[in-house]
Each structure stands twice: as structure tokens, then as C-alpha cells.
Amino acid sequence: MSAALPTVPVLHSEWLKIRSLRGTFGALIAVFVATAGIQALACAAVGQAEAGALGEDPLLGAFYGINFGQIAAFTFGASALAAEFHHGALRTTLTSVPNRTRFYLSKIAMVGALAFLVGQVTGLLTFVLGQAFMGRYALSLGDPGALRAVFGSGVYLTLMALFAAGLTAVLRSAAIVLSVLIPFVVMVPFIIGQAAGGAAEFLPDQAGQLVLRLESTGRLGPWSGLGVLALWAVAALAAGWLAVRRRDA
Amino acid sequence: MNSIEIRELTKEYGRTRAVDRLTFDVLPGRVTGFLGPNGAGKSTTMRLLLGLDRVTSGTATIGGVRFTEFSDPLRRVGALLDAQAAHGGRTARDHLRFLAAANRIPVRRVEEVLEQAGIAAAAKRRIKTFSLGMRQRLGIAAALLGDPEVLLLDEPTNGLDPEGIIWIRELMRGLAAEGRTVLVSSHLMSETAALADHLVVLGQGRLLADSSMEEFIEARSTPKVRLRTSDPVRLRAALARDGFELAAADGGRWTVEGIRAEQLGPLAAREGIPVLELSDERASLEQAYLDLTAGHAQFAATH
């Protein structure tokens, strides 16, 4: 197995691939811009109107922008993988890295590392920038759960990017993955809501966002919720690995 | 060390056998032409060799090693399979840079191969703006990136202009002369005839021929001479005694089937018949090839 682990040259190659595609690199930047930007705008617009203007849970409200940033995270993860299936670019890649497991793990590692880096910066700045507009309702980093939520939001964005990346390796198209995922996180929780007897809390975004809440009410806590999202991501990545290994390129 | 070894190679797609127990070697120091009708299994064989498709049975190795086991494959094997296989959103330079990075090939090689392939001026352009000929040149640049000992080129002259075709012909001959292994598939006979020293011919996934260009054509040519004479009447009579027939050809020349120049010359001399021109007519590669593949072409047109 050790022969198939990522190597520095292959990771470097994967970095150059992401950096050289406008759409993919743009989506990575958009994770920050959308999350922190929309947070700052929302806080500036309604943050001081009344207590709980951004939702009942003030800590979750401090990461309101993540609902938009996660779409960019999906796009980043999906387009980084989809680029290999564009006009059979994978065939060229495999002439330079013929070990498919090494290729896949290296790409996933690079997608994950970049999403984590940008996610952490995004989490911190979203909180700090947003709260700067909240006046007397502002939370500070020293408040209970704040640091956990800042770190957790970065992990959340990373796992969402990896979830999309794994699905794209299976479905081979960013368009298909995004048209499945976006409705999945935007609408399904509303539709099945409470009706499914609490099963909704195990959906990727619902479980993952528990780490952003001051208090969790269901069966999952902040970390176990993030763990459930991690399981979704790992399942998608494993399915992607099987698809990349098995298929003729 | 650098030869390609194909042993009992078989690939099935569903119930179709694309490659059927294929065995041959491609040796260094010469250009091997890879011929066969569409669907004969040429591209599939190359894809199996590179591990892009999974073999059903048999092996395809380079110097005894499977391609997928190389940690620096671009330094071992340069391949051009499909010039379209590149993401159109990247620039030519970026495309080559990520390939180079994966195999620790220095960045200056990227500039060298861009120059060598004649696309240095387009290095900053996105690949989607490239013509087919330019994509082909980019694919060849990628194949040369690691200065490999083995080159696999599938239809490399696709979309190239006449100047480009001459360029790639000389490039491949030069690479073979340096002792490298060069396998080139093509469906253009005149092009292959001008290029290859050795031929491997497939039909319906099976090996039809594996021989030098000379032997391949020789084995499929019936002896025939072409001549000019000032006394066709006496020559006809003389030939008729030995069972040969003088047939009129264009331009005041004559042809005789079943005989070679080294037989006809002395015969005419014995009889004192003046012969003004005399040469053996050899089949072209195209004729020899069509002769061989007749009946093997899966998609041959019906007349």
C-alpha cells in the first residue's frame, strides 16, 4: 500500500492543476468571499436590528454566510475532480502518474488541504468581520463555543468540498453533482424537516452545522455531528476511489 | 531494456474481442509502423500497454516492467494517444508544467519541448483555442517531455500540415537513430512507407504480420518488370518461347509479369534485342497491405 501514497512531486502536480484552472481556483476563493462577504453584509444590514436577527442561535447566526460558502466549497471539490473527466484529460494524467490510487489520493489530499486552509481563514474572518457589525449583540472569540465554531466551520467547508469531490469521481460531471447536491442541502432538510422523526439531523449539512450551534438539541453533539458529516464525505471518497480504480480511462 | 513486449494480450469489451492473443516485440533503434484497419485493435493495444484499460489476459510490458509500476513514467515512455485529451481551460505551458512536476522533470524542459514542437509562441494560449494540428504538436511536446527511451504515437500526423508531417517524420527517424524504441500507428500507407523500418499489422485484434518493411512488401509482390525497347516484335517472340507475355503499358513502355529484371536483361542480350529501359516493378506498401488485410477489414465497404 505504501507504494500508492501521495508523493511530493504528484502533490505539486495536483497543486499546479488546481492553480491553472480559473473555475476551480475561483471557486476556492469564492468559499471565502461568499462566506465572509455575505456574513458581513447580513450583519451590517440587520445585525443590530434586534437580538437574534440572524436566527435564534447567535453562534449559528455568526456563520450565516456558510450557507452560501458551502455552495462554493461544493463547486471547488466537484470542479477539481471533473477537470480530469473533461475531454479525457485523465488519460494524459495517467501517463504521468499511472498508479491510480496515488493519483486519486494526491488529488484528494490537495483538495482537502486547500479547502482546510481557506476554510480556517474563512471561519476566523467570517466570525470576526461579521461580529464587528453586530454592535451590542456582538460575540467575541472568548465566548463559549466560539473558537470551536470557528475551527469547526473550516472543517465543515473542507468536508463539504471532499464530499462533492468523491461524488464527482463517481459521476464524472460537476454539473450533475452540483445539481444533486445543492437541492439536497438547500431543500431536503425543509421538506423532510421534522417529519422524518429526526432523521434529518443525520443529513450532511444538518449534522455538520451542529458544530456551529451554541447548544444542540438532538441526539448529536457538535463533534459527533461533524463526525457524521465526515462519514458522508469518507463514503463518497471511497466510492470515488473504487470508480477511479476500476474504470477504463 | 527498452523494448516493448506484448505477450498473449487479450482485451474483451463485453463479448467483443478487441485484442485477441496478441504477441509481438517492438525493438529499439528503428521505427515500427503499427498498421491495421479501423477497429483492428491498434489503439486498444497502446491503451493496454499504458494501463489505461485493464487487460483481460496476457501482459504488455516495457523492458519487462508494467507501465503502471514506473514511478517516473514520462522519463521512460512518451505517449501520444489522443491529442484531444487535455483540459481546454489550461494554457499549453500549464498543461506541460503539471505533467513535468509529477515526474520531477525540470521546468526548463517545458520550454524546450514547446520550442521543439513549434508552439512556443502559443504557450500562454488556452488549449481550447488550439487547432487540431496545434493540439497534436502539444501532444508530441508532452511525449518528448521526459526525454524517454520509448515512444508510442497513435496517428501522430492527424491534423498536421505537410510541413508538420515532414517535421514529425524526421523527428521519429532521428529518435530511432538515437537508439530509441518508436511505435507509430497510422492508417496512411504512403506516410508509413516513408517512415517505418519495421511493420506490425493487425486485423480484427489478431497479428497478421510482424516483419521488416522490405520483407513485407517483397513477400506480397508478384515479380514484374517494366521496360522500353526498340524491337517489341522480336522481344515478344523471345519471351513467348519462355512462357512470358509482353503487355503494352502507357508511355510506350511494356510490362512483363512473372519475371525479374535480372532474368529478362540477359535474355534480351542473348537475343541481341535492344532494351532502352528496364526496371523491376515492386508493389507499394499500400498494395501489399490491402492484399494482406482483404477479408480482415471488419468495416470494409461492400461494393
Side-chain angles (χ1 to χ4, degrees), chain A residues 184-229:
Chain A
F184 190 67
V185 301
V186 175
M187 293 187 302
V188 173
F190 286 107
I191 297 165
I192 65 172
Q194 315 304 331
E201 75 176 301
F202 290 94
L203 289 173
D205 62 319
Q206 298 294 300
Q209 288 191 10
L210 290 174
V211 81
L212 308 177
R213 288 178 182 271
L214 206 50
E215 286 172 36
S216 44
T217 50
R219 281 161 288 179
L220 296 170
W223 299 114
S224 53
L226 207 55
V228 168
L229 171 57

mmCIF file of all heavy atoms in Angstrom, chain A residues 184-229:
data_model
loop_
_atom_site.group_PDB
_atom_site.id
_atom_site.type_symbol
_atom_site.label_atom_id
_atom_site.label_comp_id
_atom_site.label_asym_id
_atom_site.label_seq_id
_atom_site.Cartn_x
_atom_site.Cartn_y
_atom_site.Cartn_z
ATOM 1 N N PHE A 184 -30.097 19.132 -2.524
ATOM 2 C CA PHE A 184 -30.026 18.203 -1.394
ATOM 3 C C PHE A 184 -29.809 18.966 -0.080
ATOM 4 O O PHE A 184 -30.459 18.683 0.910
ATOM 5 C CB PHE A 184 -28.880 17.216 -1.654
ATOM 6 C CG PHE A 184 -28.823 16.065 -0.696
ATOM 7 C CD1 PHE A 184 -29.829 15.111 -0.679
ATOM 8 C CD2 PHE A 184 -27.750 15.923 0.163
ATOM 9 C CE1 PHE A 184 -29.765 14.032 0.194
ATOM 10 C CE2 PHE A 184 -27.675 14.852 1.039
ATOM 11 C CZ PHE A 184 -28.686 13.906 1.047
ATOM 12 N N VAL A 185 -28.891 19.915 -0.081
ATOM 13 C CA VAL A 185 -28.648 20.648 1.171
ATOM 14 C C VAL A 185 -29.566 21.846 1.327
ATOM 15 O O VAL A 185 -29.833 22.275 2.441
ATOM 16 C CB VAL A 185 -27.177 21.122 1.318
ATOM 17 C CG1 VAL A 185 -26.246 19.945 1.270
ATOM 18 C CG2 VAL A 185 -26.827 22.151 0.285
ATOM 19 N N VAL A 186 -30.059 22.395 0.229
ATOM 20 C CA VAL A 186 -30.881 23.590 0.358
ATOM 21 C C VAL A 186 -32.336 23.238 0.667
ATOM 22 O O VAL A 186 -32.981 23.877 1.488
ATOM 23 C CB VAL A 186 -30.791 24.455 -0.925
ATOM 24 C CG1 VAL A 186 -31.743 25.641 -0.850
ATOM 25 C CG2 VAL A 186 -29.361 24.956 -1.093
ATOM 26 N N MET A 187 -32.828 22.188 0.012
ATOM 27 C CA MET A 187 -34.272 21.936 0.104
ATOM 28 C C MET A 187 -34.668 20.738 0.956
ATOM 29 O O MET A 187 -35.635 20.816 1.702
ATOM 30 C CB MET A 187 -34.854 21.777 -1.298
ATOM 31 C CG MET A 187 -34.792 23.085 -2.063
ATOM 32 S SD MET A 187 -35.646 23.033 -3.637
ATOM 33 C CE MET A 187 -34.857 21.735 -4.484
ATOM 34 N N VAL A 188 -33.931 19.646 0.845
ATOM 35 C CA VAL A 188 -34.372 18.423 1.502
ATOM 36 C C VAL A 188 -34.626 18.605 3.009
ATOM 37 O O VAL A 188 -35.650 18.169 3.515
ATOM 38 C CB VAL A 188 -33.412 17.247 1.220
ATOM 39 C CG1 VAL A 188 -33.793 16.031 2.049
ATOM 40 C CG2 VAL A 188 -33.430 16.916 -0.258
ATOM 41 N N PRO A 189 -33.733 19.310 3.725
ATOM 42 C CA PRO A 189 -33.998 19.477 5.157
ATOM 43 C C PRO A 189 -35.327 20.171 5.427
ATOM 44 O O PRO A 189 -36.028 19.827 6.382
ATOM 45 C CB PRO A 189 -32.836 20.357 5.625
ATOM 46 C CG PRO A 189 -31.751 20.093 4.645
ATOM 47 C CD PRO A 189 -32.438 19.878 3.335
ATOM 48 N N PHE A 190 -35.707 21.127 4.583
ATOM 49 C CA PHE A 190 -37.003 21.789 4.757
ATOM 50 C C PHE A 190 -38.142 20.821 4.505
ATOM 51 O O PHE A 190 -39.138 20.819 5.206
ATOM 52 C CB PHE A 190 -37.131 22.971 3.782
ATOM 53 C CG PHE A 190 -36.291 24.144 4.183
ATOM 54 C CD1 PHE A 190 -35.144 24.458 3.475
ATOM 55 C CD2 PHE A 190 -36.637 24.923 5.285
ATOM 56 C CE1 PHE A 190 -34.364 25.536 3.860
ATOM 57 C CE2 PHE A 190 -35.856 25.998 5.665
ATOM 58 C CZ PHE A 190 -34.712 26.307 4.954
ATOM 59 N N ILE A 191 -37.962 20.021 3.451
ATOM 60 C CA ILE A 191 -39.063 19.151 3.044
ATOM 61 C C ILE A 191 -39.289 18.037 4.054
ATOM 62 O O ILE A 191 -40.390 17.854 4.557
ATOM 63 C CB ILE A 191 -38.796 18.551 1.643
ATOM 64 C CG1 ILE A 191 -38.739 19.680 0.610
ATOM 65 C CG2 ILE A 191 -39.886 17.557 1.264
ATOM 66 C CD1 ILE A 191 -38.150 19.277 -0.710
ATOM 67 N N ILE A 192 -38.219 17.306 4.384
ATOM 68 C CA ILE A 192 -38.462 16.212 5.326
ATOM 69 C C ILE A 192 -38.488 16.744 6.756
ATOM 70 O O ILE A 192 -39.140 16.180 7.618
ATOM 71 C CB ILE A 192 -37.494 15.020 5.153
ATOM 72 C CG1 ILE A 192 -36.054 15.396 5.470
ATOM 73 C CG2 ILE A 192 -37.599 14.430 3.765
ATOM 74 C CD1 ILE A 192 -35.148 14.159 5.482
ATOM 75 N N GLY A 193 -37.776 17.852 6.962
ATOM 76 C CA GLY A 193 -37.814 18.579 8.240
ATOM 77 C C GLY A 193 -38.007 17.692 9.448
ATOM 78 O O GLY A 193 -37.273 16.733 9.678
ATOM 79 N N GLN A 194 -38.983 18.009 10.234
ATOM 80 C CA GLN A 194 -39.259 17.253 11.452
ATOM 81 C C GLN A 194 -40.005 15.954 11.140
ATOM 82 O O GLN A 194 -39.999 15.030 11.927
ATOM 83 C CB GLN A 194 -40.101 18.099 12.416
ATOM 84 C CG GLN A 194 -39.639 19.532 12.574
ATOM 85 C CD GLN A 194 -38.200 19.643 13.020
ATOM 86 O OE1 GLN A 194 -37.711 18.757 13.709
ATOM 87 N NE2 GLN A 194 -37.514 20.703 12.631
ATOM 88 N N ALA A 195 -40.603 15.927 9.969
ATOM 89 C CA ALA A 195 -41.489 14.812 9.646
ATOM 90 C C ALA A 195 -40.790 13.462 9.749
ATOM 91 O O ALA A 195 -41.379 12.481 10.163
ATOM 92 C CB ALA A 195 -42.059 14.998 8.238
ATOM 93 N N ALA A 196 -39.531 13.408 9.382
ATOM 94 C CA ALA A 196 -38.841 12.125 9.350
ATOM 95 C C ALA A 196 -38.402 11.675 10.738
ATOM 96 O O ALA A 196 -37.571 10.798 10.873
ATOM 97 C CB ALA A 196 -37.658 12.197 8.404
ATOM 98 N N GLY A 197 -38.958 12.306 11.735
ATOM 99 C CA GLY A 197 -38.672 11.860 13.087
ATOM 100 C C GLY A 197 -37.222 12.055 13.478
ATOM 101 O O GLY A 197 -36.621 11.228 14.157
ATOM 102 N N GLY A 198 -36.629 13.164 13.023
ATOM 103 C CA GLY A 198 -35.268 13.473 13.440
ATOM 104 C C GLY A 198 -34.183 12.893 12.589
ATOM 105 O O GLY A 198 -33.014 13.112 12.843
ATOM 106 N N ALA A 199 -34.559 12.126 11.546
ATOM 107 C CA ALA A 199 -33.545 11.585 10.658
ATOM 108 C C ALA A 199 -32.806 12.713 9.943
ATOM 109 O O ALA A 199 -31.651 12.563 9.562
ATOM 110 C CB ALA A 199 -34.181 10.647 9.627
ATOM 111 N N ALA A 200 -33.487 13.856 9.808
ATOM 112 C CA ALA A 200 -32.883 14.984 9.108
ATOM 113 C C ALA A 200 -31.583 15.428 9.774
ATOM 114 O O ALA A 200 -30.709 15.972 9.112
ATOM 115 C CB ALA A 200 -33.864 16.146 9.038
ATOM 116 N N GLU A 201 -31.464 15.184 11.069
ATOM 117 C CA GLU A 201 -30.248 15.665 11.725
ATOM 118 C C GLU A 201 -29.004 14.872 11.300
ATOM 119 O O GLU A 201 -27.897 15.281 11.570
ATOM 120 C CB GLU A 201 -30.406 15.675 13.246
ATOM 121 C CG GLU A 201 -30.350 14.307 13.896
ATOM 122 C CD GLU A 201 -30.415 14.399 15.421
ATOM 123 O OE1 GLU A 201 -29.528 15.060 15.996
ATOM 124 O OE2 GLU A 201 -31.334 13.816 16.022
ATOM 125 N N PHE A 202 -29.240 13.762 10.607
ATOM 126 C CA PHE A 202 -28.097 12.993 10.112
ATOM 127 C C PHE A 202 -27.718 13.353 8.676
ATOM 128 O O PHE A 202 -26.818 12.771 8.101
ATOM 129 C CB PHE A 202 -28.372 11.487 10.216
ATOM 130 C CG PHE A 202 -28.396 11.000 11.638
ATOM 131 C CD1 PHE A 202 -29.591 10.902 12.340
ATOM 132 C CD2 PHE A 202 -27.213 10.674 12.286
ATOM 133 C CE1 PHE A 202 -29.607 10.483 13.663
ATOM 134 C CE2 PHE A 202 -27.216 10.246 13.602
ATOM 135 C CZ PHE A 202 -28.423 10.146 14.297
ATOM 136 N N LEU A 203 -28.447 14.293 8.070
ATOM 137 C CA LEU A 203 -28.071 14.758 6.731
ATOM 138 C C LEU A 203 -26.746 15.521 6.831
ATOM 139 O O LEU A 203 -26.437 16.107 7.868
ATOM 140 C CB LEU A 203 -29.161 15.671 6.166
ATOM 141 C CG LEU A 203 -30.458 14.949 5.785
ATOM 142 C CD1 LEU A 203 -31.522 15.964 5.404
ATOM 143 C CD2 LEU A 203 -30.210 13.978 4.644
ATOM 144 N N PRO A 204 -25.967 15.523 5.750
ATOM 145 C CA PRO A 204 -24.613 16.077 5.842
ATOM 146 C C PRO A 204 -24.564 17.493 6.406
ATOM 147 O O PRO A 204 -23.797 17.763 7.332
ATOM 148 C CB PRO A 204 -24.129 16.067 4.390
ATOM 149 C CG PRO A 204 -25.000 15.116 3.666
ATOM 150 C CD PRO A 204 -26.275 14.990 4.423
ATOM 151 N N ASP A 205 -25.381 18.390 5.869
ATOM 152 C CA ASP A 205 -25.265 19.773 6.322
ATOM 153 C C ASP A 205 -25.862 19.961 7.714
ATOM 154 O O ASP A 205 -25.334 20.693 8.534
ATOM 155 C CB ASP A 205 -25.925 20.715 5.319
ATOM 156 C CG ASP A 205 -27.410 20.438 5.183
ATOM 157 O OD1 ASP A 205 -27.776 19.248 5.156
ATOM 158 O OD2 ASP A 205 -28.197 21.395 5.128
ATOM 159 N N GLN A 206 -26.978 19.271 7.975
ATOM 160 C CA GLN A 206 -27.614 19.409 9.289
ATOM 161 C C GLN A 206 -26.695 18.900 10.387
ATOM 162 O O GLN A 206 -26.514 19.555 11.413
ATOM 163 C CB GLN A 206 -28.930 18.623 9.317
ATOM 164 C CG GLN A 206 -29.951 19.117 8.315
ATOM 165 C CD GLN A 206 -30.437 20.528 8.640
ATOM 166 O OE1 GLN A 206 -30.998 20.778 9.701
ATOM 167 N NE2 GLN A 206 -30.183 21.459 7.733
ATOM 168 N N ALA A 207 -26.100 17.749 10.182
ATOM 169 C CA ALA A 207 -25.188 17.175 11.176
ATOM 170 C C ALA A 207 -23.942 18.049 11.303
ATOM 171 O O ALA A 207 -23.512 18.376 12.413
ATOM 172 C CB ALA A 207 -24.809 15.756 10.774
ATOM 173 N N GLY A 208 -23.386 18.445 10.151
ATOM 174 C CA GLY A 208 -22.130 19.207 10.157
ATOM 175 C C GLY A 208 -22.273 20.561 10.819
ATOM 176 O O GLY A 208 -21.347 21.042 11.475
ATOM 177 N N GLN A 209 -23.445 21.174 10.662
ATOM 178 C CA GLN A 209 -23.604 22.532 11.211
ATOM 179 C C GLN A 209 -23.847 22.542 12.722
ATOM 180 O O GLN A 209 -23.883 23.610 13.325
ATOM 181 C CB GLN A 209 -24.729 23.272 10.479
ATOM 182 C CG GLN A 209 -24.304 23.648 9.059
ATOM 183 C CD GLN A 209 -25.272 24.600 8.375
ATOM 184 O OE1 GLN A 209 -26.181 25.146 9.007
ATOM 185 N NE2 GLN A 209 -25.072 24.799 7.090
ATOM 186 N N LEU A 210 -23.984 21.364 13.329
ATOM 187 C CA LEU A 210 -24.141 21.324 14.793
ATOM 188 C C LEU A 210 -22.929 21.923 15.496
ATOM 189 O O LEU A 210 -23.042 22.470 16.588
ATOM 190 C CB LEU A 210 -24.372 19.876 15.269
ATOM 191 C CG LEU A 210 -25.725 19.272 14.889
ATOM 192 C CD1 LEU A 210 -25.774 17.803 15.274
ATOM 193 C CD2 LEU A 210 -26.852 20.046 15.562
ATOM 194 N N VAL A 211 -21.777 21.861 14.826
ATOM 195 C CA VAL A 211 -20.552 22.380 15.438
ATOM 196 C C VAL A 211 -20.608 23.911 15.527
ATOM 197 O O VAL A 211 -19.828 24.537 16.241
ATOM 198 C CB VAL A 211 -19.305 21.885 14.645
ATOM 199 C CG1 VAL A 211 -19.059 22.725 13.405
ATOM 200 C CG2 VAL A 211 -18.077 21.855 15.549
ATOM 201 N N LEU A 212 -21.545 24.506 14.780
ATOM 202 C CA LEU A 212 -21.678 25.965 14.781
ATOM 203 C C LEU A 212 -22.727 26.443 15.787
ATOM 204 O O LEU A 212 -22.919 27.635 15.961
ATOM 205 C CB LEU A 212 -22.071 26.458 13.378
ATOM 206 C CG LEU A 212 -21.215 25.975 12.209
ATOM 207 C CD1 LEU A 212 -21.778 26.486 10.897
ATOM 208 C CD2 LEU A 212 -19.778 26.432 12.387
ATOM 209 N N ARG A 213 -23.415 25.508 16.422
ATOM 210 C CA ARG A 213 -24.502 25.898 17.337
ATOM 211 C C ARG A 213 -23.999 26.045 18.765
ATOM 212 O O ARG A 213 -23.113 25.316 19.198
ATOM 213 C CB ARG A 213 -25.622 24.838 17.309
ATOM 214 C CG ARG A 213 -26.433 24.858 16.033
ATOM 215 C CD ARG A 213 -27.489 23.741 16.076
ATOM 216 N NE ARG A 213 -28.238 23.716 14.828
ATOM 217 C CZ ARG A 213 -29.331 24.432 14.617
ATOM 218 N NH1 ARG A 213 -29.799 25.216 15.572
ATOM 219 N NH2 ARG A 213 -29.950 24.362 13.461
ATOM 220 N N LEU A 214 -24.636 26.960 19.456
ATOM 221 C CA LEU A 214 -24.307 27.163 20.863
ATOM 222 C C LEU A 214 -24.721 25.914 21.658
ATOM 223 O O LEU A 214 -23.979 25.397 22.463
ATOM 224 C CB LEU A 214 -25.059 28.393 21.383
ATOM 225 C CG LEU A 214 -24.446 29.137 22.559
ATOM 226 C CD1 LEU A 214 -22.980 29.443 22.312
ATOM 227 C CD2 LEU A 214 -25.228 30.433 22.804
ATOM 228 N N GLU A 215 -25.942 25.480 21.348
ATOM 229 C CA GLU A 215 -26.418 24.271 22.006
ATOM 230 C C GLU A 215 -27.078 23.371 20.976
ATOM 231 O O GLU A 215 -27.802 23.853 20.115
ATOM 232 C CB GLU A 215 -27.475 24.626 23.061
ATOM 233 C CG GLU A 215 -26.877 25.250 24.302
ATOM 234 C CD GLU A 215 -27.969 25.750 25.231
ATOM 235 O OE1 GLU A 215 -29.024 25.081 25.311
ATOM 236 O OE2 GLU A 215 -27.767 26.802 25.847
ATOM 237 N N SER A 216 -26.831 22.073 21.102
ATOM 238 C CA SER A 216 -27.509 21.166 20.190
ATOM 239 C C SER A 216 -28.628 20.476 20.942
ATOM 240 O O SER A 216 -28.496 20.131 22.126
ATOM 241 C CB SER A 216 -26.527 20.156 19.600
ATOM 242 O OG SER A 216 -25.679 19.651 20.598
ATOM 243 N N THR A 217 -29.742 20.298 20.256
ATOM 244 C CA THR A 217 -30.940 19.792 20.925
ATOM 245 C C THR A 217 -31.179 18.313 20.655
ATOM 246 O O THR A 217 -31.854 17.643 21.417
ATOM 247 C CB THR A 217 -32.176 20.585 20.447
ATOM 248 O OG1 THR A 217 -32.153 20.615 19.023
ATOM 249 C CG2 THR A 217 -32.138 22.000 20.985
ATOM 250 N N GLY A 218 -30.658 17.786 19.550
ATOM 251 C CA GLY A 218 -30.966 16.404 19.164
ATOM 252 C C GLY A 218 -30.038 15.397 19.811
ATOM 253 O O GLY A 218 -29.462 15.631 20.878
ATOM 254 N N ARG A 219 -29.868 14.264 19.124
ATOM 255 C CA ARG A 219 -29.041 13.184 19.659
ATOM 256 C C ARG A 219 -27.558 13.447 19.454
ATOM 257 O O ARG A 219 -26.711 12.863 20.101
ATOM 258 C CB ARG A 219 -29.424 11.867 18.971
ATOM 259 C CG ARG A 219 -30.675 11.244 19.533
ATOM 260 C CD ARG A 219 -31.271 10.259 18.582
ATOM 261 N NE ARG A 219 -31.879 10.920 17.426
ATOM 262 C CZ ARG A 219 -32.457 10.281 16.428
ATOM 263 N NH1 ARG A 219 -32.473 8.990 16.404
ATOM 264 N NH2 ARG A 219 -32.999 10.954 15.428
ATOM 265 N N LEU A 220 -27.248 14.316 18.432
ATOM 266 C CA LEU A 220 -25.843 14.558 18.110
ATOM 267 C C LEU A 220 -25.333 15.816 18.787
ATOM 268 O O LEU A 220 -26.064 16.797 18.926
ATOM 269 C CB LEU A 220 -25.672 14.687 16.591
ATOM 270 C CG LEU A 220 -25.999 13.450 15.756
ATOM 271 C CD1 LEU A 220 -26.010 13.813 14.281
ATOM 272 C CD2 LEU A 220 -24.999 12.338 16.033
ATOM 273 N N GLY A 221 -24.059 15.785 19.191
ATOM 274 C CA GLY A 221 -23.405 16.981 19.717
ATOM 275 C C GLY A 221 -22.605 17.642 18.609
ATOM 276 O O GLY A 221 -22.628 17.184 17.466
ATOM 277 N N PRO A 222 -21.873 18.707 18.934
ATOM 278 C CA PRO A 222 -21.109 19.416 17.908
ATOM 279 C C PRO A 222 -20.084 18.524 17.201
ATOM 280 O O PRO A 222 -19.991 18.538 15.972
ATOM 281 C CB PRO A 222 -20.424 20.539 18.672
ATOM 282 C CG PRO A 222 -20.741 20.372 20.111
ATOM 283 C CD PRO A 222 -21.803 19.331 20.257
ATOM 284 N N TRP A 223 -19.328 17.758 17.970
ATOM 285 C CA TRP A 223 -18.264 16.948 17.359
ATOM 286 C C TRP A 223 -18.806 15.684 16.716
ATOM 287 O O TRP A 223 -18.347 15.279 15.644
ATOM 288 C CB TRP A 223 -17.179 16.601 18.386
ATOM 289 C CG TRP A 223 -16.524 17.843 18.922
ATOM 290 C CD1 TRP A 223 -16.590 18.312 20.195
ATOM 291 C CD2 TRP A 223 -15.755 18.797 18.177
ATOM 292 N NE1 TRP A 223 -15.910 19.497 20.310
ATOM 293 C CE2 TRP A 223 -15.377 19.817 19.102
ATOM 294 C CE3 TRP A 223 -15.346 18.911 16.854
ATOM 295 C CZ2 TRP A 223 -14.622 20.924 18.718
ATOM 296 C CZ3 TRP A 223 -14.581 20.008 16.478
ATOM 297 C CH2 TRP A 223 -14.225 20.997 17.391
ATOM 298 N N SER A 224 -19.802 15.071 17.369
ATOM 299 C CA SER A 224 -20.359 13.864 16.746
ATOM 300 C C SER A 224 -21.101 14.242 15.467
ATOM 301 O O SER A 224 -21.127 13.493 14.493
ATOM 302 C CB SER A 224 -21.267 13.117 17.719
ATOM 303 O OG SER A 224 -22.249 13.976 18.237
ATOM 304 N N GLY A 225 -21.688 15.450 15.443
ATOM 305 C CA GLY A 225 -22.346 15.930 14.220
ATOM 306 C C GLY A 225 -21.350 16.091 13.092
ATOM 307 O O GLY A 225 -21.577 15.650 11.953
ATOM 308 N N LEU A 226 -20.209 16.695 13.430
ATOM 309 C CA LEU A 226 -19.154 16.849 12.427
ATOM 310 C C LEU A 226 -18.654 15.478 11.981
ATOM 311 O O LEU A 226 -18.329 15.265 10.805
ATOM 312 C CB LEU A 226 -18.005 17.674 13.029
ATOM 313 C CG LEU A 226 -17.137 18.479 12.066
ATOM 314 C CD1 LEU A 226 -17.964 19.411 11.195
ATOM 315 C CD2 LEU A 226 -16.087 19.279 12.838
ATOM 316 N N GLY A 227 -18.638 14.536 12.938
ATOM 317 C CA GLY A 227 -18.232 13.164 12.619
ATOM 318 C C GLY A 227 -19.170 12.513 11.622
ATOM 319 O O GLY A 227 -18.735 11.789 10.716
ATOM 320 N N VAL A 228 -20.471 12.787 11.764
ATOM 321 C CA VAL A 228 -21.453 12.231 10.815
ATOM 322 C C VAL A 228 -21.186 12.792 9.411
ATOM 323 O O VAL A 228 -21.178 12.050 8.421
ATOM 324 C CB VAL A 228 -22.895 12.529 11.276
ATOM 325 C CG1 VAL A 228 -23.894 12.227 10.159
ATOM 326 C CG2 VAL A 228 -23.226 11.708 12.521
ATOM 327 N N LEU A 229 -20.933 14.095 9.327
ATOM 328 C CA LEU A 229 -20.597 14.689 8.017
ATOM 329 C C LEU A 229 -19.326 14.041 7.468
ATOM 330 O O LEU A 229 -19.236 13.740 6.270
ATOM 331 C CB LEU A 229 -20.418 16.207 8.146
ATOM 332 C CG LEU A 229 -19.858 16.921 6.911
ATOM 333 C CD1 LEU A 229 -20.729 16.675 5.676
ATOM 334 C CD2 LEU A 229 -19.737 18.423 7.168
#
